[in-house]
Amino acid sequence: MSVHAETNGVFVALRWLQKLGYLTLSVVGFAIFAASLAPDGTPDFRIYHHYNGFAALHDRSALDIAAAQMQTFFFPGLDSVYYLVFEALNQQPRLLNALLSIPYGIAAFLVFSMARLFVGTRSIITDLLCAAVAVMGLTGAGGLPTIATTMSDIVPGLPFLVALTLWLHLEAKGRHNLRSSFALGLCAGVSVGLKLTLSPIFVGLFVAIALRGGLSRARAGALQAFVFGLGGLLTFAAIDASWLLGNWTTYGNPLFPFMNHVFKSDYADHSPWTDLRFMPRTLKMAVFYPAYWAFLTTNLAIELNMRDGRIMAGILGAIILLTSCLVYHLRNPKPSDRNGVISASIALAIVVLIAYGLWEKLWSIYRYLSVVETLTGVTLLAGLAQLASVWKKEHWAFLATAAVIVAIMTTTQYPWWSRAAKGDLALSVSLPAMEPDAMALFLDPYAYSYLVPTFPSTVKVVGANTNFIRPGSWGKMQAKAETAINGHQGPFWGFEYPEAFPGEADKTLAFYNLERDGECAPVVSNIDDRPLLRACHLKRK
C-alpha cells in the first residue's frame, strides 16, 4: 500500500471520528436538557397516547368504547413503543426523558450535515455556523416544547430526515440511481406510516425528485420519483395495513373517523372530523400566515400563545434560493462543479415550500410543522449562500444567516405544554379501589384515558361524554355505548371534572338514569397540579 493511500485512509478515519464526535455531542446535549425537564404530562399524553399504547398491547377492543375520545381510533404503533418505554422506566424519569430526547440529537446532527453542503470550504467558523443552524432548527416553537414527550413530531419524523439528508448528499455528488431512490423511499415512508400528518413533507421530496432533471430529463426524474414513491408506499403499507384493514372491516372506513363524509360509516357522523380551528381566515392571512406568528405573540395556529420566525425565514430562504439559482443558471449556462450542490439546494427549497403549502391547506396546526421547522435554518443558509455566490459576496451570507438566527432565537416565545410534576415516578396515579367487574364512565369531555392502565384489568371503560360521542348523539358508536351501559350488571364508577365542565356529568348521569352513590373521592396524580378530578361510585335510579 502506498503512502498516499495510507494517508487518505487516515484522513477518512479522522473525518468519521469527527462526525461521530459531533453526533455524540448533539445527542448528549439534548439528553442533558431533556433530563432537566419534568416528565410527559402533555394534553395528548392524557387524551390518547398513553392509553392507545396500553390498549393495543392489552387488546382492550372488547372492553372499552371510545375511552380516548375520537383519538381512540388513531394508529397506535408508536404509542405502543412509548407505553413499553414508560412502563420500563417509570421509576427513572430522568433517564426516560434522556432516552426520549435521542431523536432530537440525531435530527440536529442531520441538519448540521445538510448545512455543511452549502457553506463551500469547511472550517471551524463554518462548522460553528452549521451547528447554530442545527440548534435553531431543533429549538423551534413546534419541536422544543414537546421534547421527551409523546406529542413530539420529531420522533416519527426522524426517518424522513435521514432520507432527506442522504438524498441531498447523493444529489450534490451526482450519485443518484433507481436503487437509491427506492431505498430512500422505504426510509421516508416510515415517517408517514408512523404519523399520517407527515405526508406533506414526503410529497415535497417526491416532487423535488420528479423535477430534479428539469425538462431535459423529465422522464428520468419522473421514474426516480415513481420508484421513491413506491418505496414509501410499501413501507407505509407494511406499518399501517393491519390498522387500515381493521378499521375498514370494523367501521367501513380505513381512516375512521377521518374522511367520514367520503366513507360514510354509520358509526359516526358523516363529516370530515378534521380540526379546522387554525385555518387562515382570509386570503391575506393565508398568503402571509407565517408572518403573523413571526411578529406577533398569538395562538392563531396553535392552542397556546407563541411567537416564532423560523417558518417565515425558511420560506423566504427557499424563495431566495430558487430565484438565485435561476439567475445563476442564466449567467452560467455551462455545467460547473457547483451544479450538484445547486441541484440539492433546489430540492431542499421545493421540499420546504410544498410541505408548508400542503400543511396550510390541510391542517394549519403549527405542531405539525415541527419537521419542516428543523429545515428552516439550513434552507435560509442555502438561499443566502446561493444569492451571495451570484454577487461574489460569500462571507455576507454567513453573517446574514448568523444575524437572522440570533434575531429569531432571541424573540421566540414558546408554547410550553403542561408536564407532570417532578418526582420519583414519571407517572403516579392514586385512585379509589374499583371492583373487578366495574364499568368506568367518563362523564364529561376531559382527558381521562391516561388513568385506564391503573384500573383493574377487567374493568370496562366507556367514554360516555366526549368529543366523539355524547348523550343523544347519532351513530352506531353511541348506540353501542348505550347498549353497554344499560346492559351492565356490575357496579359503576363515574369520572368527572366539575370545575372545568360544570353540569356535564349531571347531564350524562340523567341520560343513563344513574346517580352518585355517596361522596366522591379525589383522583390524585402528578399530572394535575391539584386534585381536580374525582371518581364517584354510581347506582341506577
Side-chain angles (χ1 to χ4, degrees):
M1 181 181 294
S2 66
V3 174
H4 179 70
E6 290 180 356
T7 303
N8 283 342
V10 171
F11 279 123
V12 169
L14 288 174
R15 281 197 294 269
W16 277 104
L17 283 174
Q18 184 189 52
K19 292 177 181 178
L20 181 60
Y22 286 148
L23 174 61
T24 302
L25 184 64
S26 180
V27 169
V28 170
F30 278 99
I32 291 173
F33 173 74
S36 70
L37 300 175
D40 192 2
T42 52
D44 285 3
F45 177 86
R46 309 179 197 202
I47 296 171
Y48 73 99
H49 282 304
H50 195 58
Y51 169 82
N52 281 7
F54 166 77
L57 292 169
H58 295 85
D59 192 17
R60 299 284 300 185
S61 59
L63 291 173
D64 302 342
I65 301 173
Q69 311 194 39
M70 180 189 75
Q71 292 91 329
T72 302
F73 310 98
F74 286 10
F75 175 65
L78 189 56
D79 289 335
S80 300
V81 177
Y82 279 135
Y83 182 79
L84 291 173
V85 173
F86 268 81
E87 282 293 284
L89 297 177
N90 192 48
Q91 295 181 333
Q92 302 178 68
R94 290 187 178 182
L95 179 58
L96 172 64
N97 277 11
L99 180 64
L100 293 177
S101 75
I102 290 176
Y104 280 73
I106 298 173
F109 172 75
L110 293 172
V111 174
F112 171 80
S113 180
M114 289 185 229
R116 294 179 95 196
L117 281 173
F118 307 113
V119 295
T121 304
R122 295 171 187 173
S123 66
I124 294 177
I125 298 298
T126 59
D127 275 359
L128 287 174
L129 179 63
C130 292
V133 164
V135 171
M136 171 185 163
L138 272 296
T139 57
L144 188 63
T146 60
I147 188 172
T149 75
T150 51
M151 277 182 71
S152 174
D153 271 18
I154 301 299
V155 177
L158 186 61
F160 175 84
L161 290 174
V162 171
L164 178 62
T165 304
L166 293 173
W167 175 268
L168 295 179
H169 278 271
L170 290 172
E171 183 69 10
K173 297 174 182 177
R175 291 171 53 187
H176 269 304
N177 53 47
L178 292 178
R179 283 181 296 180
S180 65
S181 299
F182 181 71
L184 296 180
L186 289 173
C187 183
V190 174
S191 289
V192 183
L194 293 177
K195 191 157 188 178
L196 285 171
T197 52
L198 292 170
S199 54
I201 202 166
F202 182 92
V203 174
L205 184 52
F206 175 87
V207 173
I209 295 170
L211 299 178
R212 63 182 293 266
L215 294 177
S216 61
R217 298 180 57 198
R219 186 173 179 179
L223 181 59
Q224 285 196 339
F226 171 79
V227 171
F228 172 83
L230 178 62
L233 182 62
L234 289 174
T235 306
F236 172 77
I239 295 172
D240 285 44
S242 177
W243 169 68
L244 294 169
L245 183 61
N247 281 343
W248 175 257
T249 55
T250 304
Y251 308 115
N253 178 350
L255 299 172
F256 185 80
F258 295 117
M259 295 184 67
N260 209 41
H261 62 304
V262 175
F263 294 101
K264 299 186 184 303
S265 167
D266 287 339
Y267 278 87
D269 186 65
H270 295 170
S271 63
W273 288 93
T274 51
D275 188 349
L276 303 179
R277 291 175 296 165
F278 307 110
M279 300 295 287
R281 298 162 192 171
T282 64
L283 178 60
K284 175 185 174 183
M285 182 177 286
V287 173
F288 298 104
Y289 210 16
Y292 282 81
W293 63 76
F295 296 108
L296 302 173
T297 300
T298 177
N299 61 354
L300 282 173
I302 199 169
E303 294 86 343
L304 305 176
N305 282 333
M306 52 83 69
R307 178 183 177 185
D308 196 323
R310 285 169 176 79
I311 297 298
M312 186 183 74
I315 290 174
L316 290 177
I319 294 171
I320 291 170
L321 200 159
L322 294 177
T323 304
S324 301
C325 286
L326 177 61
V327 172
Y328 178 84
H329 279 297
L330 291 175
R331 290 185 174 184
N332 304 275
K334 295 182 179 180
S336 72
D337 293 339
R338 283 185 49 81
N339 279 9
V341 174
I342 291 174
S343 180
S345 64
I346 291 173
L348 178 62
I350 291 172
V351 168
V352 168
L353 291 175
I354 289 182
Y356 174 79
L358 290 174
W359 166 87
E360 185 177 291
K361 177 65 176 177
L362 294 172
W363 301 293
S364 291
I365 299 173
Y366 190 82
R367 288 186 289 112
Y368 297 168
L369 277 179
S370 295
V371 179
V372 178
E373 192 179 65
T374 67
L375 304 175
T376 53
V378 66
T379 307
L380 177 68
L381 172 62
L384 293 176
Q386 183 59 35
L387 177 64
S389 71
V390 171
W391 301 104
K392 310 298 182 183
K393 301 282 186 180
E394 283 84 353
H395 63 286
W396 286 108
F398 302 157
L399 293 174
T401 301
V404 172
I405 290 173
V406 171
I408 288 175
M409 294 191 66
T410 54
T411 57
T412 300
Q413 296 184 34
Y414 291 99
W416 289 111
W417 302 99
S418 56
R419 289 178 179 260
K422 289 184 177 180
D424 295 331
L425 299 175
L427 177 61
S428 173
V429 175
S430 176
L431 294 167
M434 300 171 66
E435 302 86 350
D437 60 339
M439 174 178 282
L441 304 181
F442 297 156
L443 302 175
D444 58 48
Y446 187 68
Y448 298 101
S449 74
Y450 74 95
L451 301 172
V452 176
T454 65
F455 294 174
S457 61
T458 52
V459 168
K460 299 177 181 179
V461 181
V462 180
N465 185 351
T466 69
N467 64 9
F468 187 58
I469 58 173
R470 61 193 62 85
S473 61
W474 180 87
K476 289 183 178 180
M477 193 66 70
Q478 170 62 23
K480 184 179 178 181
E482 291 180 20
T483 299
I485 294 171
N486 294 332
H488 182 64
Q489 299 299 314
F492 286 97
W493 284 87
F495 289 78
E496 58 180 288
Y497 185 178
E499 186 175 318
F501 302 97
E504 286 294 317
D506 293 332
K507 293 177 184 177
T508 307
L509 292 173
F511 184 85
Y512 289 106
N513 202 32
L514 296 168
E515 62 183 1
R516 298 174 185 85
D517 184 15
E519 293 294 323
C520 298
V523 176
V524 181
S525 77
N526 63 340
I527 293 286
D528 297 297
D529 295 332
R530 53 191 174 88
L532 300 169
L533 317 181
R534 61 186 196 179
C536 308
H537 202 274
L538 308 177
K539 64 180 181 180
R540 297 193 188 275
K541 290 183 179 179

